[in-house]
Amino acid sequence: MRLHFFDQTVTFDDATCALVCSDRQIEEHYFGYMVLRPTGIATIGRTVLSPDIRKGAGRFIIAADHKVHLLGYKLEIRGFPSMDQHVDISVCAHAACWSILRHYSERYNVHREYLVHEITMMAHDYNPGGLVPSKGLQIAHAERVFQEAGTFPIHIARTAGSHDPQFYRQLIAYVESGFLYSPRCTRVVMPLRSWAMNGVNR
């Protein structure tokens, strides 16, 4: 099931199966979509939502334009793709890799879209012999995924517990450059697309 989000000015006409908006600028009132999986857990699938869906959002957010087809309408939404990890065939690192590569496929026409299954297989230089259950990804696996996709990642690390200003300056520079990457914090991996430091949210 795919849910689409609009503001209150857009209504649905059952008789004509059409979207109705007073100013006829439906795209201006569209906030994006979310796919719900028919599973008991990790139900949120492919999702792209505009930052405007949240009132007061004022961060620097990496985003790209995504085309959406709905009831014959061609809509466009500017946002960043995300999804819940599947838990069985994929973990948070797979979902982070998918989000970044999906963003690249929309922002740069030299990159194609990859499915989660493909990303899971790309993480290994051999056939792992099955995808269930997933044993997770190490940093080297994530690097291999991006290399296979033609993005050639750079691994930058700092000593645990240290506060290295040079590291954070480099981190922020990468975010503001528009290039995406996935930081690994303890056991969680996620794509970094905004930052907050010293009380300044970006």
Side-chain angles (χ1 to χ4, degrees):
M1 176 188 297
R2 187 161 75 163
L3 305 178
H4 293 271
F5 301 91
F6 297 87
D7 64 23
Q8 65 271 22
T9 63
V10 179
T11 58
F12 179 71
D13 187 341
D14 292 327
T16 61
C17 234
L19 298 174
V20 179
C21 181
S22 58
D23 62 7
R24 298 185 179 182
Q25 302 295 322
I26 294 176
E27 189 173 276
E28 297 298 320
H29 306 278
Y30 183 56
F31 291 127
Y33 66 88
M34 174 187 295
V35 172
L36 296 182
R37 304 180 186 127
T39 56
I41 57 175
T43 56
I44 298 177
R46 301 160 62 99
T47 299
V48 178
L49 295 174
S50 166
D52 295 334
I53 198 170
R54 179 180 177 183
K55 291 184 179 180
R59 297 175 178 233
F60 177 91
I61 299 177
I62 296 173
D65 295 325
H66 293 253
K67 296 177 178 61
V68 180
H69 297 270
L70 173 64
L71 298 175
Y73 298 93
K74 295 181 180 179
L75 305 174
E76 194 169 270
I77 181 66
R78 187 166 184 79
F80 187 85
S82 63
M83 68 163 63
D84 278 350
Q85 63 188 54
H86 287 77
V87 180
D88 48 7
I89 66 168
S90 69
V91 293
C92 55
H94 293 105
C97 291
W98 174 84
S99 293
I100 292 173
L101 294 178
R102 182 72 182 97
H103 167 79
Y104 280 155
S105 72
E106 290 296 322
R107 186 163 181 175
Y108 309 108
N109 58 15
V110 296
H111 295 290
R112 74 171 182 87
E113 180 179 357
Y114 289 90
L115 302 177
V116 174
H117 171 267
E118 292 178 284
I119 291 172
T120 305
M121 299 298 290
M122 288 161 60
H124 303 277
D125 57 359
Y126 60 91
N127 189 330
L131 300 179
V132 180
S134 172
K135 296 181 180 179
L137 293 185
Q138 301 297 323
I139 292 176
H141 294 134
E143 288 181 339
R144 178 174 175 78
V145 168
F146 292 122
Q147 287 171 350
E148 287 291 312
T151 59
F152 310 107
I154 298 175
H155 178 213
I156 302 171
R158 69 175 177 85
T159 304
S162 67
H163 182 77
D164 182 1
Q166 179 67 23
F167 171 82
Y168 287 107
R169 281 196 294 270
Q170 190 171 11
L171 182 71
I172 293 168
Y174 268 103
V175 175
E176 294 198 337
S177 72
F179 287 101
L180 280 160
Y181 50 100
S182 35
R184 183 176 184 272
C185 307
T186 313
R187 297 183 180 179
V188 179
V189 180
M190 59 186 175
L192 183 60
R193 53 189 183 270
S194 65
W195 62 268
M197 189 174 181
N198 295 333
V200 179
N201 292 328
R202 297 300 298 274

